[in-house]
Amino acid sequence: MVVKLQRPILVGGLGLSFSLWMLDSWHDSIVQVGEFGLLSALAVGGGLWLFQQNRPKNSLEPLDGIVVDRATVESAIAKTETVINQLAQEAENHPALETLREQVAQLLLELDRQQIKVAVTGGKSVGKSTLIQVLQNLETQNVVSLQETAPLFREVGENSDAAILAEVAKSDFVLFLTNGDLTDSEFQTLQQLKAANQPNMLVFNKQDQYLTDESANILLSLKQRMQGNVVATAASPVAIKVRKHEADGSVQEWMEQPAADIQQLTQELGEVLVQQGQRLVWVTTMRKAGLLKAEAKNWLNGTRRNRATPIIEQYQWIAAAAAFANPVPAFDILATAAINAQMVMDLGNIYQQKFSLEQAQTVAGTMGSLMLKLGLVELSTKAISTVLKSNAVTFVAGGVVQGVSAAYLTRVAGLSLVEYFQQQEIAIDGGTGLNLENLRQTLQKVFQQNQQIGFLQGFVKQGMKRLLPEVQQVEVVSVQKAMG
């Protein structure tokens, strides 16, 4: 839907009216100044003064702090293309490649787009359709595409707010409509738009449905909460009753529909689009580039994770066999550092993080130390011992707890590295630096995700099958059946 918006012309007229009033007031006291020169000076001066007083101070606020130019956007698109190319290199026949390449090519065309896309959104019955219809009838030199979204904040089962906001993110500017003071849901949604660098304007529609004082208080509240950038409109004012008294004493009554009151909206929106149109397009294009890059990175991470999972499983059972064959009274994750070091190297190769053997040993030792300091070694050993407690025969083989614990901790270390690498920028030339704080947080997160009792029970069963002789497994199963 394409409409045209009026550029503001009211300011000049008001400025001239104010100037003429000033001229009349000062006529008797001003001497020795030519009338034409004085009128011109007052017209310009008064017009500029009134323009500054009534000019929407925060109409451009949504773009404040967003540093973007064509070169910045082109760089963002190039980074996105780099991730796509890396995906093509690692998964030549990936089904998403064709679509990703089409989208990145479209981004380059977007840089020179002239049409401004404006999304009109908000809750149910706030006047989105009506406002668009009114704006369609206006004329301007700036072509704008208006797109109404589905209502936000609807019942469960309908289009989700997240899906609607994903569509909104494709627009250059957002008109967010409300018909009263903000609800918490509306406020949170506006905060999300702000966090996403989505330029927007809050429109208080249907202001005519309130008493004058009430409408003024709501508008003031909205401006205070949103720090400006709010306009009041009445896209479809309530019809008013008109009464006419005739000369013969009769009275005629009828209902009249007032004209839409959207002058402030068209003035402020027109100013934003005229002054910032190109910048709006660039901001949108960069936002789309970021989303496309994230999508491509997710596909790449999925491909890499599929390659990493068998490696982690291989090393976890190698670590289990080593610990089972040489049990120690107090299991120490550092004892498997050599095994984990090789796993670090193999996983690093998948994620373009090149480690030498010495560097890999340092990483493995660091992760082992972190596990000890975080108490993960003790917690995992206790959890696994609890699962094994009912298996009397199991404890005859004293290395089972140590073996399963070694496998479990090696798995946690491997999954943590995968999670950590996935959070990093896609490395083409390789990198070896580790952020220990991020690694610590990732370890804790992955450990918690793998602490569910159902997972532990299944993991222990796998460990027992690998570590215990077949005959002993039969005895364990018989004991378990006898006990319950």
Side-chain angles (χ1 to χ4, degrees):
M1 186 180 297
V2 177
V3 301
K4 295 173 178 273
L5 292 176
Q6 289 179 327
R7 295 183 66 177
I9 59 174
L10 181 63
V11 173
L14 289 176
L16 181 59
S17 299
F18 175 80
S19 303
L20 292 175
W21 174 80
M22 294 288 288
L23 176 64
D24 183 67
S25 301
W26 295 348
H27 176 74
D28 295 333
S29 59
I30 298 178
V31 294
Q32 297 179 347
V33 179
E35 289 186 5
F36 181 77
L38 178 60
L39 177 60
S40 299
L42 286 175
V44 174
L48 288 176
W49 177 86
L50 192 58
F51 177 78
Q52 292 298 329
Q53 294 301 312
N54 290 278
R55 183 176 182 270
K57 297 179 181 179
N58 293 296
S59 62
L60 303 182
E61 183 185 356
L63 290 177
D64 291 348
I66 304 177
V67 180
V68 62
D69 54 21
R70 188 183 183 93
T72 303
V73 182
E74 289 176 341
S75 175
I77 295 174
K79 291 178 181 178
T80 300
E81 198 165 15
T82 296
V83 179
I84 295 173
N85 290 338
Q86 188 66 25
L87 175 62
Q89 181 178 329
E90 298 185 24
E92 184 178 353
N93 299 317
H94 198 286
L97 274 174
E98 183 178 355
T99 301
L100 291 172
R101 283 171 169 160
E102 290 175 354
Q103 289 179 294
V104 80
Q106 184 61 38
L107 287 178
L108 293 170
L109 299 177
E110 284 272 302
L111 287 172
D112 297 313
R113 174 167 53 83
Q114 298 299 311
Q115 189 181 82
I116 308 299
K117 299 177 182 179
V118 178
V120 181
T121 191
K124 188 177 180 181
S125 302
V126 292
K128 298 185 292 294
S129 300
T130 303
L131 180 62
I132 290 178
Q133 291 172 3
V134 173
L135 292 175
Q136 279 183 284
N137 299 323
L138 303 180
E139 296 182 357
T140 188
Q141 300 173 359
N142 302 297
V143 178
V144 175
S145 172
L146 286 171
Q147 181 63 52
E148 178 183 355
T149 73
L152 292 165
F153 323 120
R154 296 190 296 179
E155 297 296 327
V156 176
E158 301 183 65
N159 290 340
S160 68
D161 288 356
I164 295 172
L165 291 178
E167 288 301 310
V168 168
K170 299 176 183 178
S171 63
D172 304 309
F173 198 83
V174 180
L175 295 179
F176 189 100
L177 272 62
T178 184
N179 56 6
D181 208 349
L182 291 178
T183 65
D184 183 64
S185 296
E186 289 175 323
F187 179 76
Q188 294 302 327
T189 300
L190 284 165
Q191 294 301 107
Q192 290 180 44
L193 294 176
K194 182 178 180 180
N197 287 334
Q198 181 82 60
N200 65 86
M201 183 180 295
L202 178 58
V203 180
F204 169 33
N205 195 29
K206 301 186 180 182
Q207 64 164 336
D208 60 303
Q209 296 184 8
Y210 296 87
L211 296 176
T212 303
D213 289 346
E214 291 177 331
S215 176
N217 288 335
I218 292 174
L219 183 59
L220 178 62
S221 173
L222 293 174
K223 288 183 175 180
Q224 289 175 338
R225 294 188 70 183
M226 301 309 300
Q227 298 300 306
N229 201 41
V230 181
V231 298
T233 62
S236 179
V238 177
I240 58 175
K241 181 183 290 186
V242 178
R243 179 177 298 170
K244 181 180 180 182
H245 294 269
E246 302 290 349
D248 60 2
S250 63
V251 178
Q252 293 186 13
E253 293 183 346
W254 66 92
M255 301 299 290
E256 282 192 1
Q257 180 69 42
D261 179 9
I262 59 169
Q263 188 175 35
Q264 185 186 11
L265 170 62
T266 56
Q267 177 177 325
E268 296 199 19
L269 182 58
E271 180 179 340
V272 170
L273 299 183
V274 168
Q275 296 185 19
Q276 300 283 6
Q278 183 61 76
R279 193 176 171 200
L280 286 169
V281 171
W282 287 341
V283 170
T284 300
T285 306
M286 190 163 70
R287 184 168 56 248
K288 288 181 178 179
L291 293 172
L292 184 59
K293 178 184 175 184
E295 181 184 353
K297 188 177 179 182
N298 284 338
W299 286 118
L300 180 58
N301 283 336
T303 298
R304 289 174 167 180
R305 194 177 188 98
N306 289 339
R307 293 162 55 198
T309 299
I311 291 176
I312 295 173
E313 292 177 349
Q314 176 188 3
Y315 282 107
Q316 74 187 25
W317 298 126
I318 290 175
F324 178 72
N326 299 286
V328 293
F331 173 71
D332 189 345
I333 186 61
L334 297 177
T336 60
I339 296 171
N340 286 345
Q342 188 61 52
M343 180 179 70
V344 168
M345 292 183 67
D346 289 352
L347 293 178
N349 287 334
I350 292 176
Y351 287 90
Q352 304 297 313
Q353 302 284 330
K354 305 298 184 182
F355 295 100
S356 66
L357 178 58
E358 184 179 354
Q359 290 171 330
Q361 289 172 338
T362 300
V363 172
T366 299
M367 295 190 72
S369 296
L370 281 174
M371 286 184 171
L372 288 170
K373 290 177 182 178
L374 292 170
L376 305 189
V377 174
E378 182 180 358
L379 288 172
S380 64
T381 303
K382 286 183 177 179
I384 290 170
S385 297
T386 300
V387 174
L388 287 169
K389 213 172 245 187
S390 62
N391 300 319
V393 178
T394 298
F395 281 92
V396 174
V400 171
V401 174
Q402 289 90 337
V404 175
S405 295
Y408 176 79
L409 290 169
T410 298
R411 179 180 182 83
V412 169
L415 292 177
S416 297
L417 277 174
V418 167
E419 184 79 16
Y420 176 84
F421 290 150
Q422 288 183 165
Q423 296 169 7
Q424 311 308 305
E425 284 293 321
I426 299 302
I428 303 303
D429 300 326
T432 58
L434 286 179
N435 184 313
L436 291 182
E437 177 58 25
N438 288 350
L439 186 59
R440 183 188 67 81
Q441 293 176 0
T442 304
L443 273 170
Q444 287 182 306
K445 174 184 173 183
V446 172
F447 182 79
Q448 291 170 359
Q449 291 172 345
N450 288 270
Q451 274 288 289
Q452 293 86 351
I453 188 64
F455 170 79
L456 284 174
Q457 289 175 337
F459 192 82
V460 167
K461 287 182 180 179
Q462 290 184 58
M464 289 170 61
K465 287 180 180 180
R466 289 178 175 272
L467 299 177
L468 294 178
E470 185 174 340
V471 64
Q472 194 170 4
Q473 290 181 39
V474 173
E475 293 177 3
V476 171
V477 172
S478 298
V479 171
Q480 287 177 328
K481 289 182 177 180
M483 295 178 63

